[in-house]
Amino acid sequence: MRLSVSTSTPQVTAGDSLILHCEVQGASSPVSVQWWHLPPQHPNPGVLVATMEQDGSLRLGSTYQGGRTRGNLQVEKASSGTFTLVIPSTLDEDDGGQYRCEATEWSRGQNWTVEGETAVTVNSMGLGLHTTLKSRVASVTYGQSFELVCQVSASYTLEEVPASVRWLFQPNPPAGPYHKLVQVFPNGTMAWVSAQSHFKGKAQLTKADTSFRLHIHSAVAAQEGTYQCEVEVWRRNILPLGQPAATTRSNAVGIKVVLPESKLQVDTKNSSVEIASGADTAIECKILFAHNNSQLAVTWYLLPPGADGTPLQIIRADYSSILEYGSEFSSPAQKSRFLSQRVSSNVFWLQILSANLGDRGSYYCVVEERLWLVDGWYKRGEGTSGRTTLEFKLPERELHVEKTNHSILAREGEEVTLHCLLQGAHLPHTHFLATWFQVKKSGPDSALLSLHHDGTIKYLQESLAGRLYLRRPTAGDFSLTLSSVKEGDAGVYYCQVQEWQQQGEGKKWALQASACSGFTQLTTIPPESTVISRICSSPSLLNFILYLPLVLILLLVLAVFFWYCKRRYSKKENITGNQLMELEGNGEVKTT
């Protein structure tokens, strides 16, 4: 008896059918056939695939029973000596290796067995599976369409295996991992992710041969970001599909959505406003052009005179007209004096009430425009206005206020008085307005308090309200007393005095004269106990105290040495002590 084994499928892809042939010649009696699989990892002793007995009955090995993994195996006797094994669906590369056929002839209580083998290669479905994502454009204009093409390649015929594509998206700027947009299953059904509703209804999904396409209609800003496609494949002829046999993800492609250009125009002309101190004024910010469907937010800035170029934010009115004050203007007194108002569709005002010298400087506004673009509001433009310089009118008559600069040294906790004296005569029936300022290194001079012409005092710094006093021993004395001096009170101070006169009974008051005092430099020092403790804790003082005994001993030794030398010198010359003193008095002898 002779036997030969062959296969018509020497190399297959996982999921394909495997067909094996076993041809027996020279047998004169019925034979039985066994098929064995010798996997590459552990070829011995092999795994029984199937047995066909002499009567044609079929028995499957334990691994191949049920038909749920590899399908229903078939063993056929094509002719008197030809046997065929068909495995409908290979699992993976582990199904490759050697397959052995054993034929046994039975006659008169005896049997003879011959065998033969053939090799089969089963390729993984991941072998050669690759995806490439392409786009014709990297950026699109808002409202235009774009298309992404996911091209798939494999070492087998992709059209013959079940495949699905999953589209992934990461918005710009990135906010975590990629999000799933939609998945197209092998049967053609689609599953959208509800969180990505801005894609549904605007995206078209198609498949042609080995490429999947995602077409986005009328792109919006929310669709700007990075895209990827992920392809899954399953083995042939197996239902339900279950876990995919292989998965591959493409490269990332970024798409930028260019929003419509803003046509916002803000008046950039420079101007100046001159007002009397204590008067109200308004700085204008004019919009020359803006979209009809836009919203505007305006922020006001002040550049104080002599500043280092860093503007101070006064107030911001956002798109909903909610006001937000800058840190330098957040006190209740400042909030009550600076107001932002929209007087028309294209004009904003910054109102300054009771303006004082500390308000001098250049004012300007920054306008932000946002547009409604189908799916939301987007900031599209920004414009900066020209600068408006605020100056104060100088009255024709000048007040005479002491201009001398002073320097005061005060211990913390003490009381100190800063002088502001009005000199000379003044007009009858006049009243005075005096305002004290503290000079700041950056930002406008800070107004501390004001004495109004009606005699009322207004505190402009809430934190100092309990420690500031105006005392007027005489009519022209506007000196400021600061009690319980603190370290943070150190700085430069000055006062402004204005002379006001009522134009007539029941009429408004008018400014007649104005002047500023000299500057007072206030320097603070720690309390006395603190000074003593600091001195005593000084390392140099401690070192001096430690070495003081050694210094005294050294001086004593030098004194004894010089006394001894003087005495020896006097004896050597036979000069008495009284004679030596007499010579010293005449200048003939000098002693040390």
Side-chain angles (χ1 to χ4, degrees):
M1 187 171 60
R2 299 182 304 279
L3 182 146
S4 63
V5 182
S6 63
T7 177
S8 55
T9 54
Q11 184 168 346
V12 297
T13 301
D16 290 346
S17 298
L18 185 61
I19 303 174
L20 303 169
H21 305 285
C22 181
E23 188 173 351
V24 181
Q25 296 178 347
S28 57
S29 301
V31 297
S32 64
V33 175
Q34 283 189 330
W35 290 96
W36 294 82
H37 176 216
L38 287 66
Q41 297 84 354
H42 42 81
N44 294 314
V47 179
L48 178 63
V49 180
T51 300
M52 175 175 278
E53 301 293 349
Q54 294 169 293
D55 57 2
S57 61
L58 179 64
R59 180 166 50 87
L60 299 180
S62 58
T63 307
Y64 294 84
Q65 294 177 2
R68 288 177 296 178
T69 55
R70 296 178 176 84
N72 296 317
L73 269 66
Q74 302 173 17
V75 179
E76 298 178 351
K77 186 176 181 181
S79 61
S80 59
T82 302
F83 300 86
T84 301
L85 171 65
V86 178
I87 301 177
S89 178
T90 50
L91 288 178
D92 49 34
E93 56 268 28
D94 289 342
D95 280 351
Q98 296 288 330
Y99 283 83
R100 184 172 65 217
C101 176
E102 295 180 355
T104 303
E105 181 182 7
W106 301 82
S107 177
R108 299 178 183 179
Q110 295 182 343
N111 62 78
W112 300 267
T113 301
V114 292
E115 62 183 35
E117 296 181 0
T118 185
V120 174
T121 301
V122 179
N123 296 322
S124 169
M125 294 201 69
L127 182 64
L129 183 64
H130 182 71
T131 56
T132 303
L133 186 61
K134 298 179 180 179
S135 174
R136 293 182 180 179
V137 294
S139 63
V140 295
T141 304
Y142 180 88
Q144 289 186 344
S145 302
F146 66 94
E147 187 176 68
L148 298 167
V149 180
C150 181
Q151 186 68 46
V152 188
S153 61
S155 59
Y156 45 89
T157 305
L158 189 67
E159 295 89 332
E160 297 179 0
V161 301
S164 76
V165 61
R166 181 185 295 114
W167 290 96
L168 307 172
F169 172 69
Q170 186 182 59
N172 185 32
Y178 280 82
H179 308 297
K180 177 182 173 183
L181 289 181
V182 61
Q183 183 170 3
V184 182
F185 293 98
N187 59 2
T189 59
M190 293 182 294
W192 285 94
V193 177
S194 58
Q196 308 296 337
S197 57
H198 51 280
F199 282 91
K200 190 174 181 180
K202 302 187 66 176
Q204 180 181 359
L205 300 166
T206 58
K207 180 180 182 298
D209 298 329
T210 59
S211 65
F212 299 88
R213 296 174 183 266
L214 172 64
H215 188 89
I216 303 295
H217 301 279
S218 301
V220 297
Q223 292 164 347
E224 177 177 317
T226 307
Y227 293 80
Q228 277 188 325
C229 67
E230 187 176 69
V231 175
E232 297 175 332
V233 293
W234 284 263
R235 294 182 294 113
R236 294 181 177 93
N237 307 320
I238 291 297
L239 291 175
L241 294 177
Q243 292 295 323
T247 302
T248 179
R249 182 178 290 193
S250 74
N251 55 296
V253 171
I255 297 294
K256 180 176 179 58
V257 179
V258 181
L259 298 180
E261 293 184 3
S262 173
K263 297 182 180 180
L264 177 68
Q265 295 181 20
V266 181
D267 191 356
T268 57
K269 293 180 181 178
N270 295 329
S271 61
S272 62
V273 175
E274 189 177 42
I275 62 170
S277 180
D280 300 339
T281 187
I283 310 296
E284 185 177 88
C285 177
K286 189 174 183 180
I287 312 300
L288 300 179
F289 182 83
H291 288 279
N292 293 332
N293 61 337
S294 65
Q295 289 184 344
L296 302 177
V298 61
T299 306
W300 291 96
Y301 292 92
L302 166 63
L303 191 61
D308 58 359
T310 302
L312 303 175
Q313 179 180 326
I314 305 172
I315 187 174
R316 170 182 167 83
D318 67 6
Y319 300 105
S320 302
S321 299
I322 297 176
L323 301 182
E324 179 185 352
Y325 285 83
S327 58
E328 297 287 340
F329 297 85
S330 58
S331 67
Q334 293 289 67
K335 287 183 178 181
S336 65
R337 295 180 54 243
F338 289 88
L339 304 173
S340 180
Q341 180 182 6
R342 187 170 187 172
V343 295
S344 68
S345 61
N346 63 334
V347 175
F348 291 86
W349 277 0
L350 174 66
Q351 292 186 329
I352 307 175
L353 307 180
S354 302
N356 55 56
L357 287 179
D359 301 331
R360 290 175 299 175
S362 298
Y363 293 80
Y364 66 94
C365 71
V366 175
V367 180
E368 302 169 20
E369 180 188 38
R370 69 175 184 176
L371 300 174
W372 177 261
L373 300 176
V374 181
D375 59 333
W377 290 99
Y378 294 92
K379 180 182 175 182
R380 291 310 310 129
E382 185 175 286
T384 302
S385 71
R387 296 185 177 183
T388 300
T389 304
L390 179 62
E391 297 290 351
F392 290 86
K393 295 179 182 178
L394 296 177
E396 296 180 358
R397 201 172 70 82
E398 183 178 358
L399 281 179
H400 297 283
V401 180
E402 183 182 352
K403 299 287 186 179
T404 306
N405 295 330
H406 298 277
S407 180
I408 298 178
L409 183 66
R411 197 179 304 279
E412 294 178 19
E414 293 183 347
E415 182 178 274
V416 66
T417 299
L418 312 176
H419 295 285
C420 178
L421 301 176
L422 179 63
Q423 301 171 340
H426 52 83
L427 295 175
H429 309 295
T430 60
H431 293 267
F432 294 97
L433 186 151
T435 305
W436 273 94
F437 295 89
Q438 183 181 19
V439 180
K440 290 190 173 182
K441 294 181 180 179
S442 61
D445 296 348
S446 178
L448 304 179
L449 61 76
S450 293
L451 171 66
H452 291 260
H453 53 73
D454 59 358
T456 60
I457 295 179
K458 185 175 182 181
Y459 291 92
L460 304 175
Q461 296 292 329
E462 299 293 336
S463 60
L464 299 175
R467 299 193 294 120
L468 295 178
Y469 304 95
L470 276 178
R471 297 178 180 176
R472 301 180 61 185
T474 63
D477 189 351
F478 301 96
S479 299
L480 178 69
T481 298
L482 177 60
S483 64
S484 301
V485 171
K486 298 180 180 180
E487 182 180 359
D489 296 332
V492 178
Y493 297 81
Y494 71 93
C495 76
Q496 179 196 35
V497 180
Q498 297 177 345
E499 187 177 35
W500 291 75
Q501 188 175 44
Q502 198 171 17
Q503 301 303 298
E505 187 176 353
K507 294 185 178 180
K508 293 183 177 181
W509 290 80
L511 180 64
Q512 303 298 318
S514 177
C516 290
S517 70
F519 296 99
T520 299
Q521 174 72 54
L522 174 62
T523 304
T524 62
I525 58 176
E528 184 174 2
S529 59
T530 305
V531 174
I532 294 175
S533 64
R534 289 183 181 178
I535 293 176
C536 292
S537 62
S538 171
S540 58
L541 181 60
L542 291 176
N543 291 336
F544 176 75
I545 294 173
L546 291 175
Y547 290 105
L548 181 61
L550 296 178
V551 174
L552 293 176
I553 293 173
L554 179 62
L555 291 176
L556 181 62
V557 171
L558 290 174
V560 172
F561 174 75
F562 284 124
W563 175 82
Y564 175 77
C565 291
K566 178 178 178 181
R567 185 173 181 180
R568 290 291 303 271
Y569 179 80
S570 298
K571 289 182 178 182
K572 183 176 181 180
E573 299 296 332
N574 296 319
I575 299 175
T576 65
N578 292 333
Q579 291 174 327
L580 182 63
M581 293 177 64
E582 183 178 352
L583 291 173
E584 290 178 358
N586 296 332
E588 299 178 10
V589 177
K590 293 187 179 296
T591 61
T592 301

